[in-house]
Structures are given as C-alpha cells and as structure tokens.
Amino acid sequence: MIDAIYNVKEVKPSENPELCHMVERLSKRSGISAPRVMLARIPIPNAFAYGSPIAGNRVAVTEGLLKELNTGEVEAVLGHEIGHLKHRDMQIMMFASFLPAVFFYLGYWLMLSAGYSRDRREGGAAIIGIVSIALYWILTLLSLSLSRLREYYADQHSVSIVEDGRRKLSVALAKIASSSKRLKARRGDLSGFNSFKALFIADPESAVGEPRFSTFGFTLNEEELVRRIISRKVTAADRFAEIFSTHPNMVKRLRAILGLS
C-alpha cells in the first residue's frame, strides 16, 4: 500500500551504489541486517522506514530529498531511519495505536446501539460508550507523545553512528523543513502526501523553517539556516499544536540534536 501511494521502487546497487553502500554501512554500525533500499518518486524532501515480517524491512528516500540534500546530509537522514528499524519503532507504534482503535470502535457501536434502541436500559451502554470514546482520545494523545519520543531516539541514533552527525542531521532537517515550506507555498497543499506521514522523518504539513532564498535573491548558508530556526521562540500555541502532532516541534528538535537547552 505504501509503495503504491508514494510511487516507490527498489534501488539496485548498480543504479545507485553510493546510496546502497551507505545503507549497508550504517546498518552494520547499528548491528542490524541491511534493509532494502527504496526510492519514492515524490517531490517532497523526506525519508521513511517501513516493512513487515513477510516483506522485510525497507528504508526509502524521496526524489526531493536526493535533490535538496548533499551526501553527508542524506547519510544522517538514513541514520535516523535505520534507528527506527534498530529500535523496532514500527512494531511499537502499531501496538500503541491498536488499543485506542479498540476503544473507539467499542464506544462508537455502544453509542450507536443506544441511539437506535428504545430500551431505557441501553442508557448504561451509552455511558460506557462515552467513556470509551474519552479513553480513545486520551490513549491517542499518549500514542502521539510516544511517536514524538521515538523521533528523538532515532535522531540520537543517527548522531551516534554518523560522523559529525549533529551538524549533518540538524542541517538536513532544517533543509527539509525549509524546502517543504517552500513547496507548500508553491503548491498550496501537501495533504496528498500525508497518508502515512507518521513514517516520515518530518511532517511536511507542519514544516517550520526559513526560506533558503532571501528577498534579495541570495541563498542562506547551512549554519545560518539552522541558526535562524533554533533562535525562534516556541510559543504556547506551538506547544499546544505539538500535542496533536506525530513529530516534535522542529525548533525543539534541532535544539535537542545540537545539545542546546
């Protein structure tokens, strides 16, 4: 399903030996088997890890990512995605999202049956249904919080296995945020890429960045791009929006990667 939605194809070593060797090298450093290397033919700069016990693990980069990032930055992004595989985050998040779904459908059907029934005794079922829906929302928020935490863990894994990982990953994420913001401004809507956005290294819809090109036409250098993002104030509105996000606030995330308070 993911392959079809994001137009993914496998990358053979003969097609991109540098990319495949990079994945093999980082996997070896992580102590896991190398996943299959995939290319998603979509314009947004991003990457994601996915798979199943039957199909095996896969790590995908998008055409937009290879266009926007240099080799070292792509390596840092791959280190993050391999970190997800190392930590078994796909299985953890699948389990974490299962329980909220159970409470949602339980509450939905109990409330629906109470609504169509004329038996007053169904009032108890309606109350249980309302409680189940409330539990669904609470568990969903906890699941989102867990998802954000796993992103921080994957970031730190990349830092630990990639040479000069702090700088490379912070620049990579800053470029991804900036390019996604620019693409969103040009296209107006990136919701067509959001079907499995929880898998992405960064949420394209909530991209917070600085445009790499100023009003005077010159390009911001990498350090300045990162500096501008981390110097932003994280407002109460930003913190509230983060509660409902699968990914950490980009300002907080870059500060964490760089070891800033």
Side-chain angles (χ1 to χ4, degrees), residues 13 60 184:
K184 184 177 179 180

Side-chain angles (χ1 to χ4, degrees), residues 33 46 69 82 155 213 227 248:
S33 300
N46 231 300
L69 272 55
I82 289 172
D155 286 344
F213 299 93
R227 190 192 66 78

Side-chain angles (χ1 to χ4, degrees), residues 30 43-44 54 60-62 65 69 71 73 78 88 95 102-103 139 175-176 180 202 238-239:
S30 302
I44 61 170
I54 298 175
V61 296
T62 67
L65 186 87
L69 272 55
T71 302
E73 293 154 6
L78 287 171
R88 300 185 181 276
F95 178 79
V102 169
F103 278 104
L139 291 172
K175 283 185 176 181
I176 289 171
S180 297
D238 293 331
R239 296 182 187 278

Side-chain angles (χ1 to χ4, degrees), residues 180-200:
S180 297
K181 186 175 182 180
R182 192 168 67 247
L183 188 63
K184 184 177 179 180
R186 189 165 67 243
R187 296 177 63 128
D189 183 21
L190 298 180
S191 59
F193 304 115
N194 283 347
S195 300
F196 292 95
K197 69 177 182 180
L199 297 175
F200 288 164

Side-chain angles (χ1 to χ4, degrees), residues 2 47-50 81 84 90 151 196-201 247:
I2 294 171
F48 49 97
Y50 64 114
E81 297 305 330
H84 281 309
M90 291 179 294
E151 293 297 327
F196 292 95
K197 69 177 182 180
L199 297 175
F200 288 164
I201 191 172
H247 291 73

Side-chain angles (χ1 to χ4, degrees), residues 22-151:
M22 200 181 294
V23 171
E24 289 180 5
R25 184 174 68 250
L26 293 173
S27 299
K28 186 175 181 180
R29 290 179 186 174
S30 302
I32 65 171
S33 300
R36 293 167 63 186
V37 184
M38 316 297 286
L39 176 67
R41 288 163 286 188
I42 55 177
I44 61 170
N46 231 300
F48 49 97
Y50 64 114
S52 72
I54 298 175
N57 290 331
R58 308 177 185 192
V59 62
V61 296
T62 67
E63 289 182 336
L65 186 87
L66 297 181
K67 179 180 178 182
E68 293 288 339
L69 272 55
N70 65 33
T71 302
E73 293 154 6
V74 171
E75 182 183 25
V77 169
L78 287 171
H80 171 99
E81 297 305 330
I82 289 172
H84 281 309
L85 298 177
K86 168 77 171 179
H87 301 150
R88 300 185 181 276
D89 286 336
M90 291 179 294
Q91 293 88 336
I92 290 172
M93 292 313 303
M94 183 178 294
F95 178 79
S97 62
F98 175 74
L99 200 56
V102 169
F103 278 104
F104 174 80
Y105 285 109
L106 176 64
Y108 175 81
W109 286 112
L110 285 173
M111 293 174 65
L112 189 66
S113 65
Y116 279 99
S117 175
R118 296 180 181 180
D119 191 340
R120 292 183 179 180
R121 291 175 296 181
E122 290 293 338
I127 293 174
I128 296 174
I130 293 171
V131 171
S132 295
I133 293 296
L135 286 172
Y136 156 74
W137 280 108
I138 293 170
L139 291 172
T140 295
L141 293 178
L142 290 174
S143 176
L144 290 172
S145 177
L146 179 62
S147 175
R148 295 192 297 272
L149 183 63
R150 308 310 294 184
E151 293 297 327

Side-chain angles (χ1 to χ4, degrees), residues 217-231:
F218 64 86
T219 305
L220 295 175
N221 63 48
E222 298 168 349
E223 288 73 18
E224 178 65 14
L225 182 64
V226 174
R227 190 192 66 78
R228 288 197 181 191
I229 296 177
I230 63 175
S231 65

